[in-house]
Amino acid sequence: QEGMPHTLSSTSMFTPCSFSPHLHTSKEDEQGGLIFQDGNLTSASLDALIQHLIPTTDYYPEKAYIFTFLLSSRLFIEPHELLSRVCHKCIEQQRLDDPVLDKARIRKFGPKILQLLTEWTETFPYDFQEERMIGHLKDMIHRIAPCDEAYWKKMNQLLQTLNQKLATLSHGQEGIVKINAAVSDKLVAFKSKPPSIQREILSVCSDPYTLAQQLTHVELERLSHIGPEEFVQAFVHKDPLDGTKPCFSEQKKTSNLEAYVKWFNRLCYLVATEICMPAKKKQRAQVIEFFIDVARECFNIGNFNSLMAIISGMNMSPVSRLKKTWSKVKTAKFFILEHQMDPTGNFYNYRTALRGAAHRSLTAHSNREKIVIPFFSLLIKDIYFLNEGCANRLPNGHVNFEKFLELAKQVGEFITWKQVECPFEQDANIIHYLHTAPIFTEDGLYLASYESESPENQTEKDRWKSLRSTILGKT
């Protein structure tokens, strides 16, 4: 549809399922219902996967397995149900119901189950907003604590850390300036009034480098609230083996992810508004050049999401039709940036730049070099196609674990990036402006654009006329 930032073209669709099960020649091994291929776990029944998650006195699952399974299991079973099953199996296997406990054995098992619960609370804290989840934690500790006093302390630490994390997350969500969605098209009338009505971006921040840093602040702040599970929950369908209900009967828990996409769209429209606003073309050209410099600084920082939002804003038709304005702009720098974010070849140039930034991040010595903020809607799109392109279950009912390893790889990388501390000093004034400055709707943008450079053809003239009457009440 028109007016939405035009970033995703159908050429960028891809099918990630290059791992066709028929290509493997090596033999399959089966251990306890888990199917391995070349030493990698490829599929298993849900029960076998749950069993594989459960520590024993002499076994602890690999970190990568824990993350992959906790991330993807929610497509088949709700977290509270999974934790309940894990606890029941532990009680059975370690005979935690026996009137007399085998202390020596439980001292070997205790640290491992505590470790598993710690990893779960650290990586998926939002799962524990549910009372039931905390109930299972407490039940487990009551059963093993009689064997070792230290377990109480461990458990208290775990709960304290979890509470702090959840408090920080919910406080942070409230603390993020509510994005101002009240879009004011009445501003168009400003062209005939004194200019003091609308503060414009250049009066708030005239240094492109500073603005790029503040945008990076906003991005990292918003990213920090997105739970890894939101990527999976965005695509929850009914599980074919459970004909009764979709796994998440309650509303999908993807609010942070959606808020982040809203921020991207707001930034696109803010850029377009700031460009269409000034009455003189020299000033409009100046704003365009300023944003080109901001975008370039975002690229250098590794903030690809703001970069793409700025380019999308400049490419919106109310902006791109301002031919007289653009003729005053030194566009060479803009074309270089556009080329970086060109969608052809499934965003080949951007993906190459992203890999470069990711590599730099791995070897970084400072937080400044660690920053990688991916172009978010493309990341979601990749995960969407990975999800659509391969079945969650194989024809025999097994869970397609190979798919979830790929999913965990993409989400896991994102988790690493979102944990970077922002190294730049925060400027509350600029950040407030970015969230609250009035922006035009699409109609408002077109009207402001026609008021700046009059319509070129009949279609534009008709549109201008109808916009003037609906928005300005003028005939």
Side-chain angles (χ1 to χ4, degrees), residues 352-412:
T352 308
L354 181 69
R355 272 200 302 279
H359 183 72
R360 174 190 73 187
S361 180
L362 285 174
T363 55
H365 298 296
S366 67
N367 274 343
R368 171 72 188 70
E369 299 166 296
K370 276 189 194 148
I371 298 172
V372 184
I373 301 170
F375 168 30
F376 194 64
S377 52
L378 187 61
L379 175 69
I380 292 182
K381 193 169 180 186
D382 287 351
I383 290 174
Y384 176 79
F385 281 115
L386 170 63
N387 193 59
E388 290 295 299
C390 323
N392 290 339
R393 290 193 188 263
L394 302 175
N396 64 1
H398 271 193
V399 170
N400 180 2
F401 202 73
E402 208 170 355
K403 165 180 175 174
F404 296 121
L405 284 167
E406 183 57 36
L407 184 69
K409 198 171 91 189
Q410 294 191 16
V411 176

Side-chain angles (χ1 to χ4, degrees), residues 188-223:
V188 180
F190 84 95
K191 287 198 181 280
S192 53
K193 288 188 188 146
S196 59
I197 296 177
Q198 160 84 347
R199 285 162 70 204
E200 83 281 291
I201 189 74
L202 286 169
S203 69
V204 180
C205 174
S206 58
D207 173 38
Y209 190 60
T210 306
L211 188 61
Q213 292 186 342
Q214 296 310 306
L215 285 168
T216 304
H217 241 295
V218 174
E219 299 279 353
L220 285 171
E221 164 70 9
R222 291 186 164 273
L223 279 185

Side-chain angles (χ1 to χ4, degrees), residues 42 48 67 102 119 123 196 225:
T42 55
F67 177 68
D102 177 346
E119 282 189 50
T123 319
S196 59
H225 294 99

